[in-house]
Amino acid sequence: MAEDLEQQVRLSQQGNRRAFEQLVGIFQKQVFFTVLRVVQDRHMADDVTQEVFIKAYRALPALQEPAYFKTWLLRIAMNRAIDQQRRSSREREQVFFFEEEPAGAGTECESLDRAPLAELGTALQEALASLPQKLRRVMALSLDGKLSHEEAGRILGCPAGTVKSRLHHARRQLREKLKRYL
Amino acid sequence: MDCQEANLWLDSMNHGDLTEPDSSELEGHLAKCSQCSLERDQARRLDVLLERASLGHFPEGFFDRQRQSVMARLGPELEWHAPPCSLLFLVMVIAGYFGGSIGPFMDSVLSFKSDLGAAWASVDEIAPLYGLLLLLAFGAVARDPDPEPVPVEVSQ
Ligand SMILES: [Zn+2]
């Protein structure tokens, strides 16, 4: 499977549009949601995601290692998202939501189950937004749950150990800020 | 193990990354330290909260439209690939040129002789065939060269 993916990357590097469209299909959600966590605005995240893929397509011939396509793409996405977030003065919109758990599927976490769902979404978003930049970025990547510390490190340009320690600090701060819900 | 150290290991333990003997040592500390034990429970609940947080629902077709928009914005670039047949046609044209059959015609075109009549007069009977070959060569080169890619399934 990884080889198939590398093959698609190589074909895309040669200008094969259909192969690139497949890559877009495979990674667009991961890119979009990562960007959305940073910019906290759906329209902006949509625009940034499209720009990321267009930029990636043009820069693709310069990618030396097709195996690193995912982290390379997410690095472009992260940089673009941070840049956009800095430049934008737009009001952030609510992007985190909590839904009613199906009956019987309690979380074994009474305080969480009792909290008003809308309030929980706002609280999480505010808590994340109040983290220092470096911690926010690492959380934006890790909330996905799909990246290893090594991959996150490649995207953020730091060693895996630094990712781990930033995640630890981010979680500690979140625990503190969200104490009343935990 | 003191509380500070225990705190460092809590996330690792909750994520199943902690190995022996560290995990036994941490368990031992948690059994007798109510503060760290409370923090462990909060760390677990934070994980539950983060897992339950969703980025909302998107209208059906949102991602299809996004992908189509990306592809449309890449524009109708002409992709210059050279399949073997167009190379063959080019070789034939060049061979014809140096073989002399269309040489005089090409010479007159390349040296910008505006006298078209004179140029055409230098064309021998076989030249239109080379012209056709030349067209075929570039026609073949400029066509959409993408082969149908093999579908790839990657879990997100
Ligand atoms: Zn303790």
Side-chain angles (χ1 to χ4, degrees):
Chain A
M1 194 147 68
E3 283 164 18
D4 287 348
L5 194 60
E6 284 179 38
Q7 178 62 15
Q8 296 305 101
V9 175
R10 284 202 189 86
L11 285 171
S12 303
Q13 286 184 309
Q14 291 157 18
N16 186 318
R17 291 290 178 89
R18 285 184 205 127
F20 186 69
E21 189 169 359
Q22 279 215 349
L23 290 178
V24 177
I26 291 166
F27 291 110
Q28 72 183 126
K29 285 187 183 169
Q30 196 171 4
V31 168
F32 175 76
F33 289 127
T34 302
V35 171
L36 182 57
R37 283 186 211 104
V38 176
V39 301
Q40 300 190 355
D41 181 295
R42 289 175 169 214
H43 289 290
M44 203 189 288
D46 186 18
D47 289 344
V48 170
T49 302
Q50 293 188 31
E51 282 167 27
V52 166
F53 280 108
I54 289 163
K55 188 172 176 187
Y57 183 76
R58 306 211 194 283
L60 205 44
L63 174 67
Q64 307 271 334
E65 266 304 329
Y68 289 156
F69 176 77
K70 182 171 79 173
T71 48
W72 176 80
L73 180 70
L74 285 169
R75 189 164 62 227
I76 297 176
M78 203 53 165
N79 290 339
R80 193 73 196 79
I82 290 166
D83 193 39
Q84 191 62 38
Q85 183 215 13
R86 277 199 194 120
R87 278 189 296 168
S88 165
S89 53
R90 242 196 271 183
E91 191 84 9
R92 308 271 171 271
E93 58 179 19
Q94 171 117 20
V95 293
F96 287 100
F97 300 92
F98 286 87
E99 280 154 33
E100 208 72 60
E101 290 284 290
T107 53
E108 295 170 32
C109 185
E110 278 182 44
S111 46
L112 259 185
D113 289 335
R114 272 201 316 266
L117 298 175
E119 186 185 317
L120 212 47
T122 312
L124 173 62
Q125 192 155 335
E126 277 171 10
L128 284 168
S130 69
L131 292 176
Q133 282 289 352
K134 283 182 178 173
L135 304 190
R136 279 176 69 177
R137 284 171 207 169
V138 84
M139 283 307 289
L141 285 173
S142 86
L143 279 178
D144 214 358
K146 287 169 198 149
L147 291 170
S148 65
H149 293 332
E150 284 73 19
E151 288 176 316
R154 268 205 295 277
I155 295 163
L156 296 168
C158 63
T162 307
V163 170
K164 213 172 165 182
S165 122
R166 283 184 192 167
L167 272 176
H168 171 74
H169 288 295
R171 283 172 181 279
R172 270 199 84 159
Q173 293 192 22
L174 286 177
R175 239 152 65 200
E176 195 54 44
K177 290 169 203 288
L178 295 166
K179 205 184 250 171
R180 55 182 292 230
Y181 301 102
L182 301 177
Chain B
M1 182 179 282
D2 61 16
C3 291
Q4 205 182 355
E5 210 179 334
N7 218 296
L8 275 175
W9 293 116
L10 283 180
D11 287 328
S12 301
M13 187 178 79
N14 285 346
H15 298 156
D17 297 338
L18 204 57
T19 50
E20 292 296 345
D22 297 330
S23 61
S24 296
E25 214 181 318
L26 179 58
E27 289 289 359
H29 179 87
L30 291 174
K32 57 182 196 248
C33 177
S34 57
Q35 182 56 36
C36 285
S37 167
L38 177 70
E39 300 228 13
R40 185 234 356 238
D41 293 344
Q42 285 184 335
R44 275 187 188 156
R45 289 190 205 119
L46 177 68
D47 282 337
V48 172
L49 184 139
L50 293 177
E51 256 169 47
R52 274 183 55 187
S54 126
L55 285 164
H57 294 287
F58 291 84
E60 201 176 331
F62 176 86
F63 290 102
D64 289 339
R65 183 206 48 77
Q66 185 181 66
R67 189 172 59 253
Q68 284 156 11
S69 174
V70 168
M71 297 316 290
R73 284 173 67 183
L74 285 178
E77 284 169 27
L78 200 55
E79 294 167 28
W80 294 94
H81 288 237
C85 59
S86 64
L87 280 180
L88 179 69
F89 292 141
L90 268 178
V91 167
M92 288 168 76
V93 170
I94 291 165
Y97 176 79
F98 286 107
S101 51
I102 58 168
F105 172 67
M106 294 297 276
D107 282 344
S108 58
V109 172
L110 290 176
S111 60
F112 298 103
K113 275 185 192 167
S114 55
D115 185 354
L116 269 180
W120 276 111
S122 69
V123 179
D124 68 18
E125 282 161 12
I126 206 158
L129 176 64
Y130 284 103
L132 182 65
L133 282 174
L134 199 62
L135 275 176
L136 281 174
F138 283 99
V141 167
R143 91 192 200 300
D144 177 8
D146 294 357
E148 203 63 54
V150 186
V152 182
E153 284 176 23
V154 174
S155 58
Q156 290 265 338

